[in-house]
Amino acid sequence: MTAVVATNETILVVGGGISGMTAALEAAETGKRVVLVEKRPYLGGRVSQLYKYFPKLCFPTCGLEINQRRAKQNPNLTILTMAEVTGLTGDKGNYRATVKLSPRYVNANCTACGDCAKAVTAEFDDEHNYGLGKRKGAYLPYRMAHPARYVLDPAIIGTPDAERAKAACRYDAIDLDMQEETIDFPCGAVIWATGWKPYDAAKIQPYGYDRFPNVITSVEFERMADPTGPTGGKLVRPSDGKEAKKVAFIQCAGSRDRNHLLHCSRICCMASFKQCTYVIDAFGTDARINVYYIDLRAIDRFEDFYQKVRANQNITFIKSKPASITQDKDGSPVVHGVDTEGYQRFAEPHDLVVLAIGMEPSVDPASFPVPIVLNREGFIETDSANGGVFAAGGAADALDVNRAVQHATGAALRAIQVVNSVARAEV
Amino acid sequence: MGELNTAMIERYRNSFLKEVEANVEEGEWVKMCMQCGVCSGSCPLGKFWEHPPQEIFMMIRAGKREAVLQSESVWMCTSCYNCIVRCPRELPITHIMHGLAHYAKRLGLVPKTNPTAKFAQMFWDNLMVKGRVNELKLGLALYFMNGFGDGIKVALKNQKLGMAMMKTGRMNPKEAFGGHAVKDLAGFHKVLKKAQELEDARIAQNGPSAGA
Ligand SMILES: Cc1cc2nc3c(=O)[nH]c(=O)nc-3n(C[C@H](O)[C@H](O)[C@H](O)COP(=O)(O)OP(=O)(O)OC[C@H]3O[C@@H](n4cnc5c(N)ncnc54)[C@H](O)[C@@H]3O)c2cc1C
Ligand code: SF4
Ligand code: SF4
């Protein structure tokens, strides 16, 4: 049985992405008790699935590593992974949370040696790689996963694979009898940091994401560029594995569109500029890149990065939202549209098309366990009607990491104010 | 019609966009266009347009009044609705195109040889007689639109289609003598008269003699 020590001076953080981690650590480091609830088996959220960060082109693993170390050292922080908040009752300063814990089938004895993974045979779509590759039924979600503990896929439980995994473990870390648990505990304030998800690209029917293998999304492209990713960092066409030297980026795929997401997702222009550098790094002067856009949004200090990318002779910027994509006989996606600068029609074949996919809130409005004020895009509003529940990062808006982290720090401060007033009332 | 045109130029001297907003069906949407180009790229007849819809909207804002109202382009729309379903700003592009064509017609600015305009007039005149489209008469009128010799050629080419339509009852040779009408022809004409009155009133509201 998992036990959580908490009072109504405890802060509950829902979502362990970069925003949730930041809010939890900032609060815990001021001495507050914090419980961090994360749905995945590990922390880091979608940042763990990025190859590099714009604008500095450094590696997200670096920032994650620092945060993970802070988390390990802090006795005030309780981390629950494979956990979801299913209920929240009460009000500001006095909530009670219900949390469902899914079984991992691997206990704290795990040393992450990986013998269980070697022993099992069944394979599954790898979520960490957005399904671009496969993983085993006993797996470490990714290289730097925290907690650094293996997971058994529930689908192998009851199969010979489960027994094989158990037999292979030299540390008695595999517990096939683990059950789903529901726990509940008090808390005074809640930080909602459940982040975002990529818009479903198949809904943009004319772009054929569900029909053409060489039309992929920007989140998939991040995984492809990562040397630890499904292609070992090679930029290739999913259809035939050939090098993808001529790449199209289609901006606002799903964003700023009354048929899809109303808002500008804000980071995807920058994400595409960054991804242009991946292609240039891979193929140098052989790279041919077309960026199709309505208008480009690189705010304040990002402007320099944009100018640098723009200056590259191998990257062409075409002011046009493409109308459709077809596929030629070689499986190359052909981008069709009309160029706003001159009104020329084009039909341009590429090796690969990357859709700069929009960001939408990860939590469906109907599934919040408490009444909460959302804006028309489904992001959480700052509103006193939300009581002691505060949004942080991607759950509040489409934000880059820098802004998400600033926002999370603000949310931590608000939550601290609430539990401080609880403490004063109790004196 | 020339007079109306002059009067409209006078009234909206500085803003063709305002003129369109006030006088063209769904014209108030034009300013919502963000020039993304999806409509132009989506039009199945796109490559035949001198100015695709996106460009037409920019030309309206740029005050290119004659170039827009006298263009063949606004008559190119076949109402396929591809552009409407894809426009990220939900502009009713199809309706605006028809609205512009209609406005150009009212002002007497339609290019004399435009086949769509000619056909539309024929269709309308045909429909007005009996409240139904007389396929036979409309078809014949269409064949002879470009003169007698040309008409015979076209008619021969489409002979098979005509025969098939007769077989399936879609076209009846007897329709050549008068043709059958809607049940309440007088009522039909009354409806249209009323519609015309409403339209005239709307035009008068934004027209040359209305208060600014
Ligand atoms: C293609 C692409 C490239 C990008 N590149 C960059 C870049 O280079 N630089 C940059 O600054 N930004 C970049 N971003 C933006 C960046 O990904 C976000 O700023 C960042 O992920 C926000 O972090 P977050 O913690 O708010 O949300 P998330 O990363 O989405 O984390 C949310 C966490 O909450 C968990 N969760 C969700 N629902 C629940 C629930 N019900 N219960 C418990 N837990 C839950 C999730 O599992 C996840 O771990 C990029 C975005 C895209 C799309
Ligand atoms: S950031 Fe750029 S690509 Fe993304 S929605 Fe905004 S304008 Fe479009
Ligand atoms: S699709 Fe809509 S917004 Fe885009 S150019 Fe056409 S009318 Fe304008």
Side-chain angles (χ1 to χ4, degrees):
Chain A
M1 203 51 204
T2 309
V4 170
V5 183
T7 68
N8 58 355
E9 288 175 41
T10 298
I11 296 169
L12 168 65
V13 179
V14 188
I18 195 73
S19 305
M21 282 173 92
T22 302
L25 287 166
E26 296 292 359
E29 287 174 4
T30 67
K32 302 298 169 197
R33 283 216 66 83
V34 178
V35 180
L36 175 58
V37 171
E38 167 57 52
K39 189 168 72 173
R40 298 180 178 187
Y42 61 99
L43 301 184
R46 299 203 183 261
V47 157
S48 71
Q49 292 159 289
L50 300 178
Y51 171 41
K52 285 183 187 176
Y53 269 158
F54 60 72
K56 290 203 265 177
L57 300 178
C58 52
F59 299 99
T61 38
C62 167
L64 281 176
E65 206 272 324
I66 295 171
N67 279 333
Q68 289 176 185
R69 190 149 31 85
R70 282 166 78 190
K72 277 179 212 160
Q73 285 163 356
N74 200 304
N76 296 326
L77 178 59
T78 305
I79 298 169
L80 302 174
T81 50
M82 304 186 72
E84 269 182 273
V85 175
T86 53
L88 190 67
T89 54
D91 40 31
K92 189 172 175 174
N94 189 22
Y95 289 107
R96 201 156 184 95
T98 312
V99 172
K100 186 187 87 182
L101 301 165
S102 301
R104 176 191 277 266
Y105 303 107
V106 179
N107 64 31
N109 292 346
C110 175
T111 63
C113 69
D115 285 349
C116 54
K118 284 183 208 122
V120 299
T121 53
E123 291 195 330
F124 301 86
D125 280 346
D126 186 352
E127 306 84 349
H128 191 73
N129 289 324
Y130 292 101
L132 282 187
K134 297 278 181 197
R135 60 156 172 81
K136 291 285 196 66
Y139 65 106
L140 188 66
Y142 85 111
R143 190 169 55 109
M144 245 185 65
H146 176 79
R149 197 187 296 178
Y150 274 62
V151 189
L152 295 201
D153 194 298
I156 70 163
I157 302 305
T159 74
D161 254 359
E163 298 304 333
R164 278 197 280 267
K166 191 175 165 60
C169 182
R170 286 169 284 152
Y171 303 95
D172 200 19
I174 293 184
D175 174 1
L176 297 177
D177 298 324
M178 257 186 211
Q179 298 293 324
E180 179 181 303
E181 283 180 67
T182 300
I183 57 172
D184 67 295
F185 53 87
C187 57
V190 183
I191 295 174
W192 212 273
T194 45
W196 59 279
K197 64 178 178 195
Y199 184 70
D200 178 4
K203 286 190 192 157
I204 315 168
Q205 190 273 343
Y207 290 166
Y209 172 78
D210 55 345
R211 303 189 295 282
F212 311 136
N214 296 329
V215 176
I216 66 170
T217 64
S218 49
V219 290
E220 290 164 347
F221 197 62
E222 285 292 330
R223 298 312 308 134
M224 212 188 243
D226 190 335
T228 68
T231 60
K234 293 212 163 54
L235 306 181
V236 294
R237 293 156 48 109
S239 69
D240 51 19
K242 285 198 193 127
E243 288 182 328
K245 291 184 178 167
K246 185 173 174 189
V247 181
F249 291 94
I250 297 187
Q251 298 309 111
C252 309
S255 304
R256 302 173 66 193
D257 189 330
R258 301 188 68 84
N259 302 306
H260 303 288
L261 302 173
L262 294 170
H263 58 274
C264 164
S265 296
R266 234 189 240 131
I267 60 90
C268 17
C269 281
M270 280 303 291
S272 290
F273 303 157
K274 171 183 69 172
Q275 295 182 344
C276 284
T277 70
Y278 299 170
V279 186
I280 298 287
D281 287 349
F283 304 114
T285 51
D286 286 343
R288 284 283 168 281
I289 304 170
N290 289 320
V291 181
Y292 297 92
Y293 68 97
I294 304 173
D295 40 52
L296 294 167
R297 300 187 169 181
I299 46 175
D300 52 56
R301 71 195 173 103
F302 293 152
E303 176 74 17
D304 298 343
F305 188 76
Y306 162 52
Q307 292 301 345
K308 218 158 71 204
V309 171
R310 177 124 209 169
N312 190 301
Q313 302 288 316
N314 297 60
I315 308 173
T316 309
F317 286 83
I318 298 151
K319 185 167 172 59
S320 168
K321 183 176 171 74
S324 63
I325 297 173
T326 55
Q327 186 173 258
D328 71 11
K329 57 177 185 355
D330 304 322
S332 299
V334 183
V335 179
H336 299 265
V338 170
D339 185 345
T340 300
E341 293 168 325
Y343 304 105
Q344 304 300 328
R345 301 180 74 76
F346 57 80
E348 194 66 24
H350 297 85
D351 295 326
L352 187 70
V353 171
V354 179
L355 304 177
I357 203 72
M359 294 159 88
E360 63 177 329
S362 76
V363 177
D364 156 53
S367 64
F368 277 98
V370 267
I372 197 149
V373 184
L374 304 175
N375 65 19
R376 63 178 185 167
E377 288 90 26
F379 292 109
I380 300 172
E381 285 278 46
T382 305
D383 195 305
S384 56
N386 291 339
V389 180
F390 308 102
D397 214 337
L399 298 173
D400 60 56
V401 171
N402 185 32
R403 285 175 177 78
V405 165
Q406 285 171 12
H407 193 258
T409 308
L413 187 56
R414 284 173 185 277
I416 290 169
Q417 286 167 346
V418 172
V419 295
N420 276 355
S421 65
V422 171
R424 272 197 303 276
E426 282 174 353
V427 173
Chain B
M1 280 298 171
E3 259 170 66
L4 180 60
N5 188 31
T6 322
M8 287 302 206
I9 293 174
E10 196 53 43
R11 179 169 155 83
Y12 294 101
R13 186 166 288 286
N14 291 321
S15 176
F16 181 40
L17 177 63
K18 284 216 171 71
E19 179 177 350
V20 168
E21 286 178 342
N23 296 285
V24 171
E25 193 184 344
E26 307 279 8
E28 65 278 11
W29 279 93
V30 170
K31 62 173 171 295
M32 293 304 291
C33 169
M34 63 171 164
Q35 290 293 300
C36 74
V38 159
C39 52
S40 306
S42 300
C43 181
L45 287 181
K47 63 177 169 209
F48 302 109
W49 293 56
E50 190 189 0
H51 310 298
Q54 172 197 21
E55 189 180 5
I56 291 279
F57 298 148
M58 196 47 137
M59 288 164 74
I60 292 172
R61 282 197 269 189
K64 301 213 180 260
R65 187 175 187 276
E66 275 62 46
V68 170
L69 293 175
Q70 292 174 2
S71 87
E72 306 267 356
S73 297
V74 298
W75 294 92
M76 290 299 289
C77 172
T78 60
S79 308
C80 78
Y81 287 82
N82 242 355
C83 54
I84 290 199
V85 300
R86 288 185 191 167
C87 172
R89 289 276 174 98
E90 287 182 338
L91 267 79
I93 304 157
T94 311
H95 307 304
I96 304 171
M97 286 304 138
H98 295 322
L100 285 166
H102 185 231
Y103 187 54
K105 162 100 178 141
R106 258 170 55 204
L107 300 177
L109 296 176
V110 183
K112 292 285 165 296
T113 54
N114 185 282
T116 316
K118 270 204 221 166
F119 175 71
Q121 187 65 53
M122 259 179 215
F123 188 95
W124 177 256
D125 294 344
N126 180 302
L127 179 71
M128 275 318 94
V129 184
K130 300 279 179 181
R132 275 178 198 281
V133 173
N134 186 316
E135 300 277 2
L136 187 65
K137 286 186 178 173
L138 182 67
L140 288 174
L142 187 60
Y143 290 170
F144 294 101
M145 188 165 83
N146 299 322
F148 188 76
D150 214 36
I152 297 290
K153 262 193 261 161
V154 185
L156 285 173
K157 220 167 70 192
N158 288 338
Q159 210 176 14
K160 249 173 96 184
L161 176 68
M163 293 306 278
M165 282 178 79
M166 280 189 212
K167 249 198 234 151
T168 52
R170 294 297 305 265
M171 199 156 77
N172 184 340
K174 275 187 244 157
E175 294 280 314
F177 315 102
H180 70 299
V182 288
K183 276 194 194 126
D184 179 9
L185 188 58
F188 171 74
H189 282 132
K190 243 162 101 183
V191 167
L192 285 170
K193 190 158 160 273
K194 182 74 194 171
Q196 187 68 56
E197 276 168 27
L198 291 173
E199 177 73 354
D200 288 346
R202 194 180 66 87
I203 293 168
Q205 215 176 35
N206 301 310
S209 49

